Amino acid sequence: MSRLEELIAELAPEGVPHLLLGEVAAIFGRNVQPSAMGDETVTVFSLPSFDQSKSPEKLVGIEVGSAKTRLGGPCVLVAKLNPHIPRVWPLEFIPLNSYCSPEFYPIEPDQRVLELRYMYHFVLTKMSLLSGTVTGSTNSHKRLHREDFLKLRIPVPPLEVQREIVRILDQFTQLEAELEAELEARRRQYEHYAGALLSSDQHVPRARFGDVARIVRGASPRPIQKFITESPDGVPWIKIGDVPARGKYITQTGQRVTPEGAAKSRRVQPGDFVLSNSMSFGRPYISKIDGYIHDGWLAISEFEDSFISDYLYYLLRSAPIQEEFARRAGAGTVKNLNAEIVRSVEVPVPTKDAQARAVELLDKFDALVNDISIGLPAELAARRKQYEYYRDKLLTFEEATA
């Protein structure tokens, strides 16, 4: 008999109570404007930082881009938007002056009866269910509500049982983390060689990026909440949370704005690039939709005379270009990649035939580190399925009769 079976037989032989999550946890948080954060260093947990490395950013308070939610104590962050991309972040230790994006719900457990990481594993089991119950047209307007979480029924075994379940499940997640780290190292290796391939030939003509493409800043109608709409007449409002981690294309949005709001914003069309200019700045995406972007994005268009789209995507992602963006954006804690900086960067402009050959080669390398059907990505996918199987099994309990 396993240690877990022994604990259940000893401490919960007749089943365990199933309670509403709202009875053993609560959603706290108060939004704070950057002007109220002062000039102290603050820790910000954002969607981009979750997607990129699950590491929060350190920023100067008054230079934070928008209002954030103050964090009080250990909690599990769950993203509200686009639940088909589950973003669940356990925060067992929170530095002083910590905030999260308002796109997260901070759920704090009553630690007298509920282990934080037990709740974290439990919430993960429900994300697929929650994703299927929210309503909205073509994933637009899909948004999880506070009640979606607080009305979940959670089995609450004794704390000793919860801790043993967490110990078992954390072994799986630790293995996943090790595989993810190895895969990330391979990706960095790939990006190094990709950068060399894209920039090493000194005989390739070079040009200021602004001379071979149109680069403009997005625009935000303010106050934005006045223009957010669920009306069918609304148009897609593109935000960084709409793009999955390591995603290349923007295919849908979680929010829409009114035509009046769109008139004050910047339009992008299918095929245009967008580039984040603040948090996680410099990351390129290709829009597959007609939409509008706020002033945290740059739009890149009219490049077709000089670049194949896929070549330009690889070029903008390459280490030399990213390093040049970072160097010109400044050395402070807050980097700002404005349109003029991007226009001024010198880029190689090889022939279209040479671009096509580079794309063919890079596509093959890219598949090795990103295709989930082969190599490390395949092993990681298998381990995740194994974790999900045992997680669902270990979190299933017979309900105790009252």
Side-chain angles (χ1 to χ4, degrees):
M1 180 179 287
S2 70
R3 172 63 177 159
L4 179 59
E5 290 171 328
E6 290 177 359
L7 286 171
I8 293 173
E10 177 186 352
L11 302 173
E14 305 299 329
V16 304
H18 290 207
L19 304 174
L20 296 178
L21 186 59
E23 296 180 82
V24 288
I27 296 176
F28 293 104
R30 180 173 63 84
N31 285 350
V32 177
Q33 294 294 332
S35 58
M37 298 179 190
D39 57 3
E40 295 183 358
T41 298
V42 299
T43 303
V44 177
F45 297 83
S46 65
L47 293 179
S49 61
F50 176 88
D51 288 343
Q52 290 193 348
S53 61
K54 293 186 176 66
S55 297
E57 294 180 286
K58 296 287 187 181
L59 303 169
V60 176
I62 57 175
E63 296 179 351
V64 173
S66 59
K68 305 296 179 193
T69 303
R70 185 188 295 278
L71 298 177
C75 61
V76 173
L77 300 182
V78 186
K80 304 173 187 176
L81 291 176
N82 292 350
H84 66 285
I85 306 173
R87 293 179 171 100
V88 186
W89 200 348
L91 306 182
E92 296 164 88
F93 306 101
I94 298 178
L96 191 65
N97 294 328
S98 287
Y99 300 84
C100 71
S101 162
E103 306 288 8
F104 283 116
Y105 285 122
I107 308 177
E108 297 184 22
D110 180 346
Q111 296 190 49
R112 295 171 299 178
V113 293
L114 191 61
E115 284 283 327
L116 184 141
R117 288 194 66 82
Y118 177 85
M119 184 179 74
Y120 160 69
H121 290 296
F122 168 78
V123 170
L124 279 175
T125 69
K126 299 300 180 184
M127 291 306 292
S128 178
L129 170 69
L130 292 172
S131 175
T133 58
V134 293
T135 58
S137 58
T138 61
N139 279 332
S140 295
H141 311 144
K142 286 186 176 179
R143 188 182 187 89
L144 294 173
H145 299 284
R146 177 183 297 257
E147 292 73 20
D148 296 331
F149 296 100
L150 299 183
K151 289 183 178 178
L152 290 172
R153 287 178 59 79
I154 178 172
V156 186
L159 288 172
E160 291 87 341
V161 175
Q162 293 181 40
R163 291 171 187 141
E164 180 61 12
I165 290 172
V166 168
R167 186 190 68 79
I168 296 170
L169 292 178
D170 280 357
Q171 289 179 334
F172 287 104
T173 55
Q174 177 62 31
L175 178 58
E176 275 189 40
E178 291 171 0
L179 286 171
E180 287 174 346
E182 184 175 349
L183 185 57
E184 185 59 32
R186 297 284 182 85
R187 285 183 172 131
R188 287 196 296 271
Q189 186 181 39
Y190 149 70
E191 288 171 358
H192 169 78
Y193 287 112
L197 175 66
L198 291 163
S199 64
S200 61
D201 191 343
Q202 300 301 313
H203 300 291
V204 172
R206 304 180 75 87
R208 285 178 76 254
F209 194 22
D211 292 338
V212 290
R214 180 172 183 263
I215 301 158
V216 293
R217 185 183 183 185
S220 301
R222 289 188 170 86
I224 183 60
Q225 291 305 323
K226 176 182 175 183
F227 299 99
I228 297 295
T229 180
E230 296 187 357
S231 167
D233 294 334
V235 296
W237 178 239
I238 298 171
K239 301 176 72 176
I240 199 163
D242 296 318
V243 189
R246 304 190 183 285
K248 179 177 180 179
Y249 298 107
I250 298 168
T251 60
Q252 59 187 9
T253 65
Q255 292 183 325
R256 303 173 80 86
V257 293
T258 63
E260 292 76 16
K264 300 174 183 292
S265 182
R266 179 79 68 179
R267 181 185 179 190
V268 294
Q269 302 181 69
D272 290 350
F273 279 58
V274 294
L275 203 67
S276 176
N277 68 11
S278 54
M279 284 187 175
S280 68
F281 74 91
R283 179 73 165 84
Y285 304 93
I286 303 174
S287 181
K288 283 198 167 186
I289 61 174
D290 208 324
Y292 290 81
I293 59 171
H294 55 74
D295 53 13
W297 292 111
L298 302 177
I300 303 171
S301 61
E302 301 178 16
F303 54 81
E304 292 80 2
D305 288 345
S306 300
F307 293 111
I308 295 172
S309 180
D310 284 339
Y311 178 86
L312 180 58
Y313 177 75
Y314 282 123
L315 180 65
L316 293 178
R317 282 181 50 190
S318 68
I321 297 298
Q322 290 290 311
E323 289 166 3
E324 188 64 11
F325 283 163
R327 188 182 69 80
R328 298 190 183 214
T333 53
V334 177
K335 298 180 184 297
N336 185 21
L337 191 64
N338 61 43
E340 186 53 41
I341 290 175
V342 176
R343 292 188 196 108
S344 68
V345 170
E346 191 176 77
V347 294
V349 189
T351 65
K352 294 286 186 69
D353 286 344
Q355 292 182 36
R357 289 194 296 272
V359 168
E360 182 179 10
L361 184 58
L362 290 170
D363 278 348
K364 291 178 182 176
F365 288 155
D366 190 68
L368 288 175
V369 293
N370 290 316
D371 189 336
I372 62 170
S373 65
I374 57 176
L376 273 175
E379 185 177 353
L380 183 58
R383 295 304 176 205
R384 284 176 176 155
K385 285 185 178 179
Q386 188 181 37
Y387 160 72
E388 291 170 2
Y389 170 80
Y390 283 103
R391 183 191 64 197
D392 294 346
K393 190 173 181 178
L394 291 175
L395 294 176
T396 299
F397 287 90
E398 180 179 348
E399 184 170 2
T401 56

